[in-house]
Amino acid sequence: MKEIPNHIGLALGSGAARGMAHIGVLKALQEKGIKPDFIAGTSMGAVVGAFYAKDGSIEDIESVVLGLNWAKLAGLIDPGFYFLREGLINGSRIIDTIHAVLGDVTFEELKVPFVCVATNFETGTERVFSKGKVIDAIRASISTPGLFAPVKIEGDYYIDGGVVNPLPISVVRKYFKGHVVAIDVSRDFQKVYRRKKENSPQERKGSFQHPYLKKINTKLDEFVQENKAFLNPILESAEKIKNNIEEMRKRITDRPPTAISVILKTMVLMEYQISQASLRDADIVIKPDVDDIDLLEFHRAEEAIDAGVKSIEAFRAS
C-alpha cells in the first residue's frame, strides 16, 4: 500500500467544474491527518487552494459548492453588452460569492502558505501571485478566455493561469523544498470519446435490464394490450411528439460548434497537453476520474468531490 508523505506541497490544477475534485482530495488528506505545507493553484485550483489556505479547513468551500444548483448558477452569471469585446461573463457576482467567505485576506495572513498563477495578457508570461489581496489574484487566475472578462492589475490585463501553467508543479518546486503532489483534473478527450463510443444507444438500452425493471416493463406491456382501444390515440400522439423532439435534437446536434464552444474546448485541449508534459516533475500524481464532467457543470459538485476522495483511496491501494 502506498502512502502520501506528511510534508507535501500541492499543485492544484485548472479544470473549472472538474476542479471541485480538489475539495475531495483535500478532504481525504485531512481525514488521514495529512496537512499540506504549501499550495499552488491555477484557476479552480486557485479557488479551492485559497479557501483551504485561509484556515487549513475545507468545510467552507465544500458547503458553498454543494449548495450550487442550476438556479443558483444562473444567478451568478452577469452577462452584458461588453461580452463581444471582453468576455461572456463579467465575473463580479462569482467574485462576490468568493469574497463573502474569503473577505480581504492577504497572502501574508493565510494559515497555509499559498500562491496562485495567472497569465499576463500583455506579455504572455506567467505571473505567480504571492502578495496582496488573495481575492484579486483569484479573479485574475480564473479569467478563462472568452468566458470571463480579463482583469486589470497594476496596469496590465490578466487572464486564466491555465493558458501558460494549468498544473503548477514548477511553481511548487520553486517555492517549496519537499515532496510535490500534483492533482491533475485536466480532461482527457480521447478517454471521453472512447467512453461515448462504448456507451452507444444500443448498449445503454441494454444496461437497464434489471430484473425489477423487467417486471415493471412486462406489467406495462400487459396494461397497454388490455387497454389498446383507449390508449392508441394517446400513444400515437406521444409518438409524433417523440419524433418531433428527436428531429429537433438531431438538427441541434448536427450544427457546427459555436465560436464560444470552440474557444473553451481549445483552452481545455491546450491545458491537457501542457499538464501532461509537466507531470514528470511531480513526485506523486493524483488523477481524479472527472473526465465526464463538463466545464460548467458545477451542479455536479458532490460527484466531483467524491471522485477526489476516491482518487486518494485508489492511490493508497495501488
Side-chain angles (χ1 to χ4, degrees), residues 211-264:
Y212 183 64
L213 292 175
K214 277 186 179 179
K215 195 172 182 179
I216 291 174
N217 286 331
T218 301
K219 291 290 183 185
L220 284 172
D221 288 339
E222 289 173 1
F223 176 78
V224 170
Q225 291 301 319
E226 291 168 6
N227 298 275
K228 212 169 186 179
F230 170 71
L231 290 173
N232 265 348
I234 299 172
L235 291 173
E236 285 172 8
S237 297
E239 186 66 24
K240 286 179 182 177
I241 293 170
K242 176 190 166 189
N243 290 337
N244 287 338
I245 291 172
E246 186 62 27
E247 183 60 31
M248 286 174 64
R249 185 200 64 77
K250 189 175 184 298
R251 284 203 299 267
I252 292 170
T253 305
D254 289 345
R255 286 178 183 172
T258 61
I260 190 68
S261 68
V262 169
I263 292 170
L264 293 177

Side-chain angles (χ1 to χ4, degrees), residues 28 39 110 223 240 253 280 293 312:
I39 300 173
L110 296 172
F223 176 78
K240 286 179 182 177
T253 305
R280 63 179 179 273
I293 297 178
I312 294 294

Side-chain angles (χ1 to χ4, degrees), residues 82-83 85-91 119-122 139-153 156-160:
Y82 53 80
F83 80 90
R85 185 165 49 87
E86 299 176 11
L88 189 63
I89 301 170
N90 177 271
T119 303
N120 186 311
F121 186 69
E122 312 295 336
R139 177 63 182 86
S141 189
I142 68 170
S143 297
T144 305
L147 185 61
F148 288 100
V151 62
K152 197 171 189 177
I153 298 176
D156 285 342
Y157 281 101
Y158 288 88
I159 58 174
D160 198 308

Side-chain angles (χ1 to χ4, degrees), residues 271-291:
E271 287 182 353
Y272 175 74
Q273 296 298 334
I274 298 172
S275 294
Q276 299 316 293
S278 69
L279 292 179
R280 63 179 179 273
D281 294 324
D283 297 306
I284 295 172
V285 176
I286 305 294
K287 182 80 169 91
D289 187 6
V290 286
D291 286 304

Side-chain angles (χ1 to χ4, degrees), residues 18 187 189 264-272 295:
R18 290 185 297 280
R187 191 175 204 185
F189 278 97
L264 293 177
K265 187 165 183 177
T266 301
M267 175 86 178
V268 175
L269 285 165
M270 180 181 66
E271 287 182 353
Y272 175 74
L295 198 70

Side-chain angles (χ1 to χ4, degrees), residues 26 104 126 194 198 215 267 287 299:
L26 285 163
D104 290 319
E126 168 187 296
R194 285 195 300 271
E198 289 165 4
K215 195 172 182 179
M267 175 86 178
K287 182 80 169 91
H299 61 289

